[in-house]
Amino acid sequence: MAVVVVQGLDERSGGGRAGSGRPWPWRALQLAAAAALAATAALPAQAQGRRGPPPPTPKVVIYDPDPVSCQPDTIRQAFARHLAPFADQSPAVLARLREVQLEMTDSSLRRCVAKGLMEPEAAAALRQELAAQTPTRP
């Protein structure tokens, strides 16, 4: 909070500075303006020092495959389903989206193999099949 100290007030001159001859309402207006200016100037400094609760940490969900989600047909359908909303995009955008989707599918395939829910050869074959559907970048 800002405190404004005004020195030199003289009651004999109506509250104005000694010898200024200014009437009291004018001085009151000046004091009010100075107080308002000091209060607003201090707000950003006060806001910076204020500490609220820390922001919530984002919940990280790691894909945990199950026997159904590791089926080749399920993976093919999911690959196509995730790209479907972007069908109206330009070929360059679609190519990049397909690359990103293929990277995510690779990660899913690795997890399926690591959990023993898919054979490495089947995962490699499915990856090649999906990559063949993915046009190269222009």
Side-chain angles (χ1 to χ4, degrees):
M1 180 179 193
V3 177
V4 178
V5 177
V6 179
Q7 296 177 351
L9 287 180
D10 185 3
E11 293 176 13
R12 289 173 295 180
S13 62
R17 189 170 279 238
S20 69
R22 291 189 177 148
W24 169 249
W26 173 251
R27 183 48 111 187
L29 181 61
Q30 284 181 327
L31 290 174
L37 182 62
T40 57
L43 284 178
Q46 289 174 347
Q48 289 174 358
R50 207 176 300 152
R51 289 273 190 208
T57 56
K59 183 178 179 184
V60 177
V61 178
I62 297 176
Y63 171 65
D64 187 23
D66 58 54
V68 174
S69 64
C70 287
Q71 295 295 318
D73 286 336
T74 304
I75 293 172
R76 281 186 202 98
Q77 290 169 359
F79 188 86
R81 186 176 59 250
H82 289 130
L83 291 173
F86 306 102
D88 62 341
Q89 297 297 314
S90 70
V93 169
L94 279 176
R96 181 62 186 134
L97 287 171
R98 286 179 185 274
E99 287 177 13
V100 170
Q101 186 62 41
L102 189 59
E103 290 171 11
M104 291 189 297
T105 302
D106 278 343
S107 178
S108 298
L109 291 171
R110 282 192 300 273
R111 289 184 187 275
C112 288
V113 170
K115 286 195 91 175
L117 300 171
M118 183 181 268
E119 294 296 322
E121 297 80 23
L126 182 56
R127 196 243 184 257
Q128 286 178 347
E129 176 188 328
L130 294 173
Q133 295 175 5
T134 306
T136 58
R137 246 199 273 191

